[in-house]
Amino acid sequence: MSSEVKIVAILAVSLLALEIGTRLAEPRLSKDLAHIRTFSELSNRFSSTVKKDPRAKKTVLILGNSLARQGIDEQILVSGLTDSKGHSPTIGFITPDGTSVTEWVWAYRRYVMHPGASPDLVILVTGRHHLMDDSREQLDIPRLAAFYLDARDRSEFLSRYSIDTEQSIELLLASQSRLLADRTRLRPLLFYRMIPGYEVGVNQINAALGGGVPGESTGIEASPMTEKTETLRLLIESIKASGAHPVVVTVPLPDPYSLSAGVAELLGERGIDTVPLGEAMLLPEERFPDGYHLDRKGAAMVTRELLREIGAN
Amino acid sequence: MLFNSFSFWLFFAVVAAVHCLLPHRGRNLLLLAASYFFYACWDWRFLSLILTTTVVDFFASRSIARAAPDDPIRKRWLMISLTVNLGILGTFKYFGFFANELDRLLQALGGEPLSLPLHLILPVGISFYTFQALSYTIDVFRGQTQAAKRFSDFALYIAFFPQLVAGPIERSSHLLPQVVNPRPSCDEKRFRDGFFLVVSGLFLKVVIADNMAWLVAYPFSPHAVSQMSAPDVLLGVYAFALQIYGDFAGYSAIAIGVSKWLGFDLMTNFRRPYFALDPRDFWRRWHISLSTWLRDYLYIFALGGNRAGRWRTARNLFLTMLLGGLWHGAAWTFVIWGALHGLWLVIHRFWSLRRESSPGGKHHGGWILKLGAWLVTIHLVCLGWLFFRAQSFEQAWQMLSLFGAPWKWSDYAATCASLILFFAGPWMLFEAWQESNKDRLVLTDVSWPWRLGLYLYVLLMVVFFPSPVAVEFIYFQF
């Protein structure tokens, strides 16, 4: 066997070993990946709750990203939704980092939209731009393919975004390879620990680039590339088709904001309950320790306000 | 279809597989069809421009070759070829720029604004294939190359996909015989050399250039100047120097590598340019196919070279670099970049002549002098890159003025310095080893476990450290 054939063979075996290693190490690579791995148990949790006591138990799904994860206090929500007979709700979270409606809709369809397993209430927690469509160039195809998109939805996804050949190949490969989907997780893991001032440096670069960068989520909100709301429409239709009741909550940010006209129009048109805390609730700066996400106190205040608005109990 | 995309490698695998099964003529036709398909993937409309260039230059050169040496029709056909080639290039690349400048001038003088379409889409790779086509007609005119007999062979010479959109700018005397005559098959040596070039090219592009592009975004953003200090600018420019090198040398290496697998030998385009010790040395290592083209066809053929005294030589040198700057793009920043290099080459030429005529002047000094020469050279190259990358002269000047203000170490500077060392440091050490051996393929001659070690390192870096943002090849826009 010639030396170059040996080299290519060893490289191929190394790639395979990296793939296996990534699958084994995935839960330890980041908290976010460990969280994503819990999605597949959600429909089981909801369906077993319904089976146990179909009349009394409430199932609630919190759908969003890190703004939702850090903006909703689970304990307060549970106690607020516990009914007068002491039945506490089953609450599930789909709140992966750096995601928007593009990931939420496919995740909902893949993990939750199953007969008898859908939640009663879906609380869609969003920031300023997260409900607007991403442009084709903004899509994080490897992660979408690996974690959010179900094989059944692939053709619909391809046609919705006019995906080009390169992205189609990437989609196909990433649906089989965790290495492709997880590979960018190592970079922040390494650099945040090893380079002093890396976080500030990254923020400056991202600001110059005009928004956030996948895998380098440091609290800068990405600007929307489109004004379209077709993905949100699909999400609402999917939630309603599964028999769940959707509620949209805008989470407070350091500066007050309102949803874009297109999003507000769609929500109004589809009769979706909206809780505009991003506009109505002004919180002091100290509630945002990283300048973007809420602290525990802020989350408690937001959750109580949310419960009041949706008329819990 | 970028070289660092899955679609390119799928396309190449299909082309290479069919290529193996065909005889020589069939291979050429396959490569021509593949080249047009490759170009059509960018924008099929601009195929008409390549076809126009190909048809005009094919018939012009045949007419030149058929005519007697003193027949004036030869000159007429040459002028037709030059007019069509430079006309297309000028229209698509420079018309908007000059019309815009004329418009500004007229308005400054109180005139009416021009009602001209100022912005045309720049066809990808137009500067590269136009220069390649021009060199062919001029070489046929000068009797330095034979006119192609078969149209499809010539069309492949113009459109050969590995080097179509970003070079190397090949000469007909080098590439055309490889198209016309049967080529060697891909034996172990060709595969080994090609594999090294492809792997190193991917590393230069995916790991070095794209990660540096991300770092460069901050210091060159229009609003960052007020927040920056000199170390931010200095490190940002170092990062850009590495980005443009990784981007362009990476593309060239992949182009040469895949061509090797197809039986072609393309010319070397980069020879470790950041190890240069003076400007002349730099231009013998950087974008060699362009610098030699400018030397042969502009400096010598059009301007007369160094045949008319030292001041004329200096003028020709300066003009060549000025136009070389403009070749990169229609903007004043490119003109300034070209002028800086022109001025530097002229000063270096006078200084060298003086030094060589003095007693003991041919002695090149010890390592301290060499280190000093290297430091001066690399920083003057970086000064050029500052103007090259800046969005305007004003921005470049503002960035330069920060060197006169107090220096402050920032978090960006710490991030930039660390990432430069992490991504480019090991490769520069590898290049230092290549430089000491004066051979870019030196790794292909050592025992295979050493190569495997480098390839495993490249694999890990390409897999785990791609840029956080997608970046196209810089030179596609030239």
Side-chain angles (χ1 to χ4, degrees):
Chain A
M1 192 160 56
S2 80
S3 59
E4 251 35 45
V5 175
K6 269 188 244 170
I7 288 175
V8 172
I10 294 173
L11 289 176
V13 171
S14 307
L15 213 52
L16 193 67
L18 286 175
E19 175 68 35
I20 295 166
T22 306
R23 281 172 190 262
L24 293 174
E26 200 172 52
R28 287 185 294 278
L29 270 179
S30 75
K31 284 181 185 171
D32 192 43
L33 278 172
H35 170 59
I36 289 171
R37 282 203 157 197
T38 64
F39 296 169
S40 50
E41 297 152 21
L42 270 178
S43 62
N44 286 341
R45 277 181 62 204
F46 288 152
S47 62
S48 64
T49 305
V50 174
K51 272 178 204 157
K52 272 184 204 161
D53 191 351
R55 278 170 301 177
K57 290 276 185 175
K58 201 174 222 175
T59 49
V60 180
L61 175 70
I62 307 293
L63 194 54
N65 53 26
S66 55
L67 282 177
R69 194 178 60 241
Q70 292 185 236
I72 300 290
D73 187 308
E74 190 176 355
Q75 283 183 338
I76 295 173
L77 190 68
V78 169
S79 64
L81 291 173
T82 301
D83 63 21
S84 52
K85 291 176 187 164
H87 294 130
S88 57
T90 299
I91 296 187
F93 281 80
I94 292 185
T95 52
D97 281 342
T99 54
S100 69
V101 68
T102 311
E103 286 81 14
W104 304 339
V105 64
W106 304 112
Y108 186 83
R109 290 167 70 95
R110 177 169 172 176
Y111 297 109
V112 188
M113 199 176 162
H114 302 299
S118 298
D120 300 313
L121 179 65
V122 176
I123 302 177
L124 187 56
V125 185
T126 178
R128 188 181 284 120
H129 302 307
H130 299 111
L131 295 182
M132 287 188 276
D133 287 2
D134 282 322
S135 66
R136 195 185 68 187
E137 295 75 26
Q138 278 180 311
L139 298 175
D140 187 349
I141 297 279
R143 286 192 202 178
L144 273 166
F147 303 125
Y148 306 109
L149 196 61
D150 195 81
R152 288 169 305 168
D153 283 329
R154 216 175 277 159
S155 56
E156 168 142 16
F157 175 80
L158 293 174
S159 63
R160 268 183 178 265
Y161 289 95
S162 314
I163 296 294
D164 60 24
T165 316
E166 177 65 14
Q167 288 177 310
S168 301
I169 299 171
E170 211 179 355
L171 187 85
L172 206 66
L173 289 174
S175 64
Q176 306 302 319
S177 162
R178 282 297 164 86
L179 183 59
L180 204 58
D182 291 339
R183 65 197 190 124
T184 52
R185 304 268 180 183
L186 191 64
R187 182 191 172 102
L189 211 64
L190 194 69
F191 293 159
Y192 277 96
R193 283 181 196 170
M194 292 179 64
I195 302 176
Y198 183 71
E199 187 170 350
V200 180
V202 167
N203 274 342
Q204 286 175 320
I205 297 164
N206 282 350
L209 286 166
V213 164
E216 300 281 347
S217 175
T218 53
I220 290 175
E221 196 179 7
S223 304
M225 291 294 281
T226 74
E227 290 297 319
K228 292 181 185 165
T229 53
E230 287 310 305
T231 315
L232 176 60
R233 186 181 292 278
L234 178 66
L235 177 59
I236 292 169
E237 282 165 8
S238 303
I239 293 171
K240 286 194 164 182
S242 66
H245 176 72
V247 175
V248 172
V249 183
T250 63
V251 80
L253 293 173
D255 295 317
Y257 65 94
S258 51
L259 289 171
S260 77
V263 170
E265 191 183 319
L266 176 65
L267 296 177
E269 176 197 304
R270 301 307 310 261
I272 306 299
D273 293 334
T274 308
V275 185
L277 300 182
E279 193 175 0
M281 210 174 164
L282 279 176
L283 295 176
E285 243 177 66
E286 59 262 30
R287 296 280 71 81
F288 303 95
D290 64 0
Y292 187 60
H293 297 96
L294 286 163
D295 66 356
R296 292 197 71 171
K297 266 190 181 173
M301 290 158 81
V302 165
T303 312
R304 284 194 197 98
E305 190 62 21
L306 168 67
L307 287 166
R308 202 178 61 75
E309 289 282 341
I310 61 174
N313 294 328
Chain B
M1 224 189 307
L2 301 168
F3 278 0
N4 56 335
S5 69
F6 294 117
S7 11
F8 174 76
W9 291 105
L10 185 66
F11 159 81
F12 183 74
V14 173
V15 170
V18 180
H19 185 264
C20 290
L21 305 172
L22 296 173
H24 177 67
R25 288 282 313 130
R27 286 180 173 187
N28 280 358
L29 293 174
L30 168 78
L31 291 177
L32 181 60
S35 298
Y36 285 155
F37 173 78
F38 177 82
Y39 196 77
C41 288
W42 300 102
D43 196 329
W44 60 269
R45 293 169 302 175
F46 293 132
L47 270 178
S48 58
L49 294 181
I50 292 189
L51 281 169
T52 306
T53 300
T54 309
V55 169
V56 169
D57 287 335
F58 179 73
F59 288 106
S61 57
R62 277 175 70 98
S63 305
I64 291 168
R66 268 203 302 262
D70 52 352
D71 192 338
I73 203 157
R74 283 166 45 84
K75 217 167 200 172
R76 238 172 278 158
W77 276 110
L78 178 67
M79 289 317 291
I80 289 171
S81 165
L82 291 177
T83 308
V84 171
N85 283 303
L86 294 175
I88 292 174
L89 185 65
T91 306
F92 282 90
K93 193 160 180 174
Y94 301 108
F95 177 76
F97 171 68
F98 285 114
N100 194 32
E101 292 305 307
L102 183 64
D103 192 30
R104 278 173 52 178
L105 182 69
L106 286 177
Q107 287 191 54
L109 296 172
E112 290 290 311
L114 290 172
S115 54
L116 290 167
L118 297 182
H119 297 291
L120 293 173
I121 302 172
L122 182 66
V124 66
I126 190 168
S127 308
F128 291 92
Y129 70 74
T130 302
F131 269 37
Q132 189 155 310
L134 277 174
S135 75
Y136 167 74
T137 324
I138 296 171
D139 283 351
V140 171
F141 179 80
R142 295 197 296 196
Q144 289 176 352
T145 198
Q146 287 198 332
K149 291 188 176 69
R150 211 175 256 137
F151 180 77
S152 60
D153 287 347
F154 179 66
L156 179 58
Y157 160 73
I158 296 290
F160 183 46
F161 72 84
Q163 46 90 240
L164 172 60
V165 293
I169 304 166
E170 283 292 334
R171 305 294 179 78
S172 56
S173 54
H174 184 236
L175 185 58
L176 204 51
Q178 298 183 56
V179 174
V180 174
N181 303 316
R183 293 179 289 275
S185 56
C186 186
D187 57 10
E188 198 197 330
K189 168 103 176 75
R190 276 193 168 272
F191 181 77
R192 186 167 62 222
D193 291 353
F195 194 67
F196 169 74
L197 289 164
V198 167
V199 170
S200 58
L202 283 173
F203 181 84
L204 283 166
K205 168 62 183 161
V206 177
V207 178
I208 296 186
D210 289 358
N211 278 298
M212 293 301 115
W214 180 65
L215 284 175
V216 163
Y218 172 65
F220 284 97
S221 71
H223 310 297
V225 174
S226 58
Q227 301 155 30
M228 286 193 302
S229 169
D232 299 336
V233 177
L234 192 63
L235 287 158
V237 176
Y238 287 158
F240 179 67
L242 289 163
Q243 182 203 347
I244 196 162
Y245 171 59
D247 196 286
F248 198 15
Y251 186 94
S252 291
I254 300 169
I256 298 166
V258 296
S259 300
K260 271 204 180 293
W261 287 341
L262 295 170
F264 289 88
D265 289 305
L266 300 186
M267 69 182 292
T268 302
N269 214 15
F270 289 86
R271 203 178 284 124
R272 302 170 297 283
Y274 293 146
F275 288 87
L277 297 178
D278 60 58
R280 216 167 136 200
D281 190 19
F282 177 75
W283 282 103
R284 282 179 180 156
R285 295 161 175 264
W286 180 272
H287 202 176
I288 300 164
S289 65
L290 176 70
S291 57
T292 51
W293 196 101
L294 291 172
R295 181 197 64 200
D296 294 346
Y297 299 100
L298 188 58
Y299 176 69
I300 296 173
F301 180 69
L303 298 171
N306 59 1
R307 286 172 299 216
R310 57 162 55 176
W311 290 107
R312 271 283 182 87
T313 303
R315 183 206 68 176
N316 293 345
L317 206 50
F318 184 76
L319 274 178
T320 302
M321 294 314 293
L322 198 72
L323 290 169
L326 202 58
W327 176 89
H328 285 82
W332 289 115
T333 45
F334 293 126
V335 177
I336 293 166
W337 176 75
L340 275 175
H341 275 277
L343 199 63
W344 186 19
L345 278 166
V346 168
I347 293 169
H348 177 261
R349 186 180 166 80
F350 281 127
W351 182 76
S352 302
L353 288 172
R354 207 179 154 151
R355 192 166 160 235
E356 276 166 23
S357 61
S358 66
K362 296 213 168 159
H363 178 64
H364 288 290
W367 69 269
I368 294 179
L369 267 180
K370 277 187 179 162
L371 181 68
W374 174 74
L375 280 170
V376 169
T377 304
I378 192 78
H379 284 93
L380 283 173
V381 167
C382 284
L383 176 69
W385 289 140
L386 174 66
F387 283 94
F388 191 94
R389 176 61 173 78
Q391 286 162 32
S392 63
F393 177 76
E394 289 75 24
Q395 189 192 23
W397 190 250
Q398 281 175 343
M399 290 169 78
L400 272 178
S401 64
L402 290 175
F403 286 92
W407 288 41
K408 204 179 86 193
W409 190 251
S410 68
D411 289 321
Y412 170 78
T415 304
C416 196
S418 308
L419 293 186
I420 286 175
L421 279 177
F422 181 78
F423 288 117
W427 188 263
M428 284 297 135
L429 285 178
F430 174 67
E431 285 207 356
W433 178 62
Q434 284 180 316
E435 179 67 15
S436 66
N437 285 281
K438 301 282 172 206
D439 179 8
R440 79 181 162 147
L441 292 175
V442 60
L443 191 75
T444 60
D445 293 329
V446 299
S447 67
W448 69 270
W450 288 104
R451 275 202 304 288
L452 176 65
L454 180 92
Y455 294 159
L456 282 172
Y457 165 74
V458 170
L459 178 77
L460 288 174
M461 293 298 285
V462 168
V463 167
F464 290 113
F465 296 98
S467 168
V469 290
V471 190
E472 283 216 342
F473 283 94
I474 297 177
Y475 266 68
F476 285 3
Q477 62 195 287
F478 299 149

